[in-house]
Amino acid sequence: MNLVEALAISKQALPEDTHPLRTFLACGFTPLHLQTFLAAHLRKRLPQQRVELKTGLFGDLAGSIERLPSSSCDVLAVVIEWQDLDPRLGIRSLGGWRAADLPEILKSANQAAARLEQALRRTSASIPVCICLPTLPLPPLFTTSTRQASAYELQLRQLVGSFAASISSESSLRVLDLQRLDELSAPSARLDVQSELMAGFPYKLPHASAIAELLAALIQNPTPKKGLITDLDDTLWAGILGEVGTEGISWDLDQHTHMHGLYQQFLGSLASAGVLLAVASKNDAALVEKAFERKDLILSKENIFPLEVHWSRKSESAQRILKTWNIAPEAVVFIDDSPMEVAEVKAAFPEMECIVFPKNDYQAIFELLKRMRDLFGKNVISEEDSIRLKSIREAGILRESGNIPGRSLDDFLQEADASIRFAFGKQAADNRAFELINKTTQFNLNGKRLTEAAWKAYLNDPAAFVMTANYEDKFGPLGKIAVLLGRIQGKALRIESWVMSCRAFSRRIEHQTLKQLLEKFDAKEISFDYQATPRNGPLQEFFAQLLGVAPTVDLRFSRATFSEKSPSLFHHVEEVVNG
Amino acid sequence: MDEMETRLIRCFSSVFPDLTTEQIRSADMETVPAWDSLAAVTLVAILQEEFGLQINLMDLPELVSFVAVQNYVRKHNVVS
């Protein structure tokens, strides 16, 4: 993006009736074109949102952050440069580059980093913070030649590395990846000496645009994809199974098919982070079964569910996989080496990301892995991520058990030996609860999403409560599957948000949730900020079944009504402070 | 209007979107309130980008009107 384009985008009419994304850009230099580029990249990424961008006091990065009232913005973007750690690490200051000054520069940089870290941690308790570490070359202040790294330079880089590693442990602090920045902006073409000295703006325009582009992506923090459907032949492995047999397929250096091994390894990594994997292959099922018995496969069959192996259309396989996973096509990536199969699935599911596996092109496969990391990347791996696939498998068993003739749902639920742990603590670090609120569509009270800032404000509001539910039965744990946000007003409860994972349907967890809530707060009445959405059919159905009528906007009922209408519940219930 | 003038007007229009083409042709720092130091630096950056030239910021004091900028760009034999 060049500056003319950025100015044009920034000056487009803003959507008026939406909640603005109030962004604060903190940097120690004059923000000038970086501000323009950041506003433009944010507008480009969030066309439906009004972006407001404010900046702090120049030359005082830490002070700008320390003085920032967290209620005044939704997200903080911080761009650190070397001179923010010590002015002598820039070129505008003439504080001395004598050999004797170097230990002192290092010491003051350590102090500045500690102050910055403290300010960033404090701010991140209220709003998300996106940080760009120093990107400019250090000036030639060290006594070694520029070919040789000075011990002081290495210590400065170590300081920044340790600082970044320390703050990135906070889920609300997101650090921009400098390796990715290097791909977009060559390190030798970043510093604009004239602009720095004459205008106080140190970046060449393409570099400013690259930083802004990546910062905007960090701020947007797009929802990661949830599932990946892969082909087998010439994708998961090299070779056509039906032609070369189980011993003929390969994924190793000797056969020059190592990239398929790398792809398997990558899928294993995704699975370990909670991504659902399935196979859609036109193949002989018995042969595939045998192929998966090979001990040298990098990706375990245990990581894949379901396997759709037959000769029907791939779009039919994709349809069945989506049904098993119970997720929407836009949350899924489909990968196949055949452009025709990819086109067929894309035609059936336009919202699905469908990608041709670039077999025989090492570099393109490597680029594909990077692209997929962007599609599936997440900040934190939760306990639920590790049990998601297992619980989907068990949901299938549960559905089948529930369909046995002559046995009622009550019989089945009674034998399930289910327990629910309800928690009412407000843990700011509870990413799972925040994630559930922002990605659940089907059992969702109103479809409203929360920004990280709004979520933190909710946690800090003494009048509000957060209830979460962890579920487990004889088929295994489901982890944290429900979140409810509300307020108590005398003897009445007002529920503002309620979501439950689709993996937890058909277990009457929603009934038990309301029962516990009414009992805990000794409430006489409960009302809901309910809104029908195109996707929340399961929630509408729940209320319709419970009350005997379709829910309306002013949804409320008494405790007595609930007690009268609620079906039998068989869960063991436990209440804890923090779940 | 030659091609260079068209490109120059486009640059000015990016920085001063409220001005018409005619107003841009007669624009100077005295008559355009939005033409402050920030706009001047932005204009220089855009001119550098558009014409591929390196403008010395020491020359900023002479770039006080559309005509002056036009003469400056012509003087530096910009053909790109």
Side-chain angles (χ1 to χ4, degrees):
Chain A
M1 186 185 289
N2 63 33
L3 194 52
V4 172
E5 289 166 341
L7 282 166
I9 292 171
S10 302
K11 283 170 183 160
Q12 283 167 3
L14 296 165
E16 278 305 320
D17 52 350
T18 56
H19 178 75
L21 177 70
R22 299 168 305 161
T23 306
F24 189 91
L25 170 62
C27 56
F29 51 85
T30 312
L32 209 63
H33 313 309
L34 179 65
Q35 184 178 356
T36 307
F37 279 120
L38 183 57
H41 281 289
L42 282 171
R43 290 291 306 277
K44 212 172 152 189
R45 282 191 162 267
L46 305 162
Q48 302 307 321
Q49 199 157 15
R50 193 151 53 88
V51 176
E52 291 175 2
L53 191 57
K54 289 184 181 162
T55 56
L57 194 62
F58 319 135
D60 184 15
L61 177 63
S64 289
I65 300 167
E66 286 164 350
R67 285 187 298 273
L68 181 70
S70 57
S71 57
S72 67
C73 59
D74 300 309
V75 62
L76 169 65
V78 180
V79 178
I80 305 170
E81 279 304 342
W82 291 110
Q83 57 264 37
D84 298 313
L85 300 181
D86 186 291
R88 291 167 287 186
L89 295 173
I91 56 173
R92 285 178 70 88
S93 154
L94 297 176
W97 283 351
R98 291 168 307 174
D101 296 327
L102 296 177
E104 168 56 28
I105 289 174
L106 187 61
K107 189 177 165 195
S108 97
N110 266 293
Q111 288 166 345
R115 183 182 166 197
L116 259 179
E117 181 170 345
Q118 198 176 14
L120 291 170
R121 284 187 188 279
R122 187 189 61 81
T123 308
S124 74
S126 316
I127 53 171
V129 181
C130 301
I131 301 156
C132 180
L133 300 171
T135 64
L136 292 173
L138 279 159
L141 77 158
F142 306 107
T143 54
T144 52
S145 79
T146 57
R147 292 178 300 279
Q148 183 185 341
S150 149
Y152 287 107
E153 178 184 349
L154 293 172
Q155 286 178 73
L156 279 169
R157 294 194 186 283
Q158 184 183 34
L159 163 67
V160 170
S162 304
F163 163 79
S166 171
I167 57 174
S168 64
S169 62
E170 296 275 343
S171 64
S172 296
L173 285 162
R174 301 194 277 269
V175 180
L176 188 148
D177 184 18
L178 294 181
Q179 181 176 306
R180 180 65 183 271
L181 184 66
D182 289 348
E183 291 176 1
L184 299 178
S185 170
S188 59
R190 294 177 176 180
L191 175 65
D192 188 330
V193 176
Q194 180 185 238
S195 173
E196 165 71 327
L197 296 182
M198 302 290 287
F201 182 70
Y203 297 150
K204 290 192 172 170
L205 294 182
H207 183 55
S209 178
I211 289 179
E213 182 182 342
L214 294 182
L215 269 180
L218 279 191
I219 290 169
Q220 184 199 15
N221 198 22
T223 308
K225 303 277 185 191
K226 297 175 185 171
L228 184 144
I229 303 172
T230 182
D231 180 32
L232 295 177
D233 291 347
D234 281 339
T235 303
L236 195 71
W237 51 60
I240 309 292
L241 186 60
E243 293 174 6
V244 299
T246 53
E247 294 310 311
I249 54 174
S250 63
W251 47 86
D252 53 48
L253 286 170
D254 292 347
Q255 312 280 325
H256 309 297
T257 53
H258 184 75
M259 291 310 285
H260 296 272
L262 212 55
Y263 177 63
Q264 286 186 31
Q265 180 168 281
F266 186 83
L267 295 196
S269 166
L270 290 184
S272 71
V275 173
L276 301 169
L277 302 180
V279 159
S281 171
K282 286 182 177 171
N283 236 315
D284 182 299
L287 213 49
V288 167
E289 189 69 29
K290 216 170 146 201
F292 271 106
E293 284 170 12
R294 270 183 59 164
K295 298 278 184 255
D296 56 342
L297 259 174
I298 312 294
L299 179 67
S300 162
K301 192 188 169 197
E302 289 306 303
N303 291 138
I304 305 169
F305 183 77
L307 277 104
E308 286 285 337
V309 181
H310 42 68
W311 302 100
S312 303
R313 285 187 301 164
K314 296 245 172 157
S315 58
E316 289 175 16
S317 297
Q319 177 72 63
R320 276 193 288 273
I321 292 165
L322 290 177
K323 196 175 171 203
T324 303
W325 287 347
N326 198 9
I327 59 177
E330 60 262 31
V332 173
V333 176
F334 175 85
I335 297 185
D336 197 300
D337 68 300
S338 160
M340 200 185 79
E341 301 287 14
V342 168
E344 195 258 328
V345 172
K346 185 72 182 170
F349 301 101
E351 316 91 330
M352 195 181 287
E353 188 89 33
C354 297
I355 302 171
V356 176
F357 187 83
K359 59 180 176 184
N360 304 326
D361 187 337
Y362 288 34
Q363 196 62 41
I365 295 173
F366 188 69
E367 294 304 320
L368 171 66
L369 302 188
K370 284 162 61 183
R371 182 181 167 194
M372 287 206 289
R373 196 55 93 180
D374 279 349
L375 291 170
F376 289 100
K378 55 175 79 167
N379 296 355
V380 180
I381 310 299
S382 66
E383 185 195 338
E384 285 71 22
D385 287 324
S386 62
I387 58 173
R388 183 168 297 121
L389 186 64
K390 190 168 176 273
S391 65
I392 285 175
R393 280 185 204 273
E394 282 150 4
I397 300 169
L398 185 141
R399 271 195 303 272
E400 283 162 22
S401 316
N403 289 336
I404 296 172
R407 291 180 74 240
S408 68
L409 182 61
D410 275 14
D411 294 337
F412 172 71
L413 291 175
Q414 208 162 2
E415 290 162 18
D417 193 23
S419 59
I420 309 179
R421 197 170 74 240
F422 290 106
F424 289 87
K426 292 183 182 176
Q427 285 181 322
D430 190 343
N431 292 301
R432 171 64 180 163
F434 179 62
E435 181 188 67
L436 268 175
I437 290 170
N438 279 332
K439 75 177 193 182
T440 307
T441 54
Q442 299 180 66
F443 195 97
N444 187 322
L445 186 63
N446 44 36
K448 288 179 186 170
R449 302 305 194 203
L450 285 182
T451 63
E452 285 175 74
W455 168 242
K456 293 194 173 200
Y458 209 95
L459 295 175
N460 292 327
D461 182 349
F465 66 84
V466 178
M467 179 189 195
T468 61
N470 275 60
Y471 177 89
E472 184 167 7
D473 60 27
K474 70 176 184 181
F475 300 103
L478 293 187
K480 190 171 290 169
I481 38 75
V483 184
L484 192 145
L485 309 181
R487 287 167 204 281
I488 178 83
Q489 297 158 342
K491 287 283 178 190
L493 279 169
R494 177 71 180 164
I495 308 305
E496 294 166 351
S497 179
W498 186 16
V499 296
M500 187 172 77
S501 165
C502 54
R503 290 182 292 122
F505 289 176
S506 312
R507 292 167 168 91
R508 294 182 185 163
I509 299 170
E510 55 274 43
H511 301 84
Q512 189 66 266
T513 303
L514 290 183
K515 180 171 182 272
Q516 292 305 313
L517 200 59
L518 288 161
E519 283 175 8
K520 174 168 178 72
F521 293 106
D522 192 22
K524 300 279 178 239
E525 188 188 71
I526 186 164
S527 69
F528 299 83
D529 180 13
Y530 164 77
Q531 237 176 315
T533 74
R535 302 282 293 278
N536 70 356
L539 177 113
Q540 295 177 37
E541 205 177 307
F542 160 68
F543 279 121
Q545 278 182 3
L546 180 72
L547 303 172
V549 289
T552 57
V553 174
D554 184 31
L555 177 60
R556 61 181 65 231
F557 47 82
S558 67
R559 185 171 172 178
T561 303
F562 174 77
S563 303
E564 182 194 326
K565 309 246 179 185
S566 176
S568 305
L569 302 175
F570 306 102
H571 317 97
H572 308 288
V573 173
E574 184 190 356
E575 187 189 316
V576 294
V577 177
N578 282 315
Chain B
M1 197 191 318
D2 63 18
E3 193 211 335
M4 195 272 273
E5 190 182 10
T6 308
R7 289 164 66 190
L8 207 50
I9 287 173
R10 201 164 55 228
C11 292
F12 270 76
S13 183
S14 299
V15 185
F16 309 114
D18 296 336
L19 299 187
T20 64
T21 303
E22 275 320 299
Q23 286 171 327
I24 286 173
R25 282 205 182 94
S26 60
D28 62 40
M29 285 188 87
E30 296 294 314
T31 57
V32 179
W35 196 333
D36 55 14
S37 60
L38 191 65
V41 175
T42 305
L43 183 61
V44 164
I46 284 177
L47 292 170
Q48 294 188 141
E49 215 175 51
E50 174 67 22
F51 294 100
L53 49 87
Q54 188 62 42
I55 297 175
N56 190 333
L57 290 178
M58 295 293 280
D59 296 338
L60 259 182
E62 64 178 87
L63 302 175
V64 290
S65 69
F66 177 81
V67 174
V69 171
Q70 195 172 25
N71 290 337
Y72 184 94
V73 174
R74 283 195 203 285
K75 187 176 147 191
H76 286 79
N77 289 324
V78 175
V79 286
S80 59

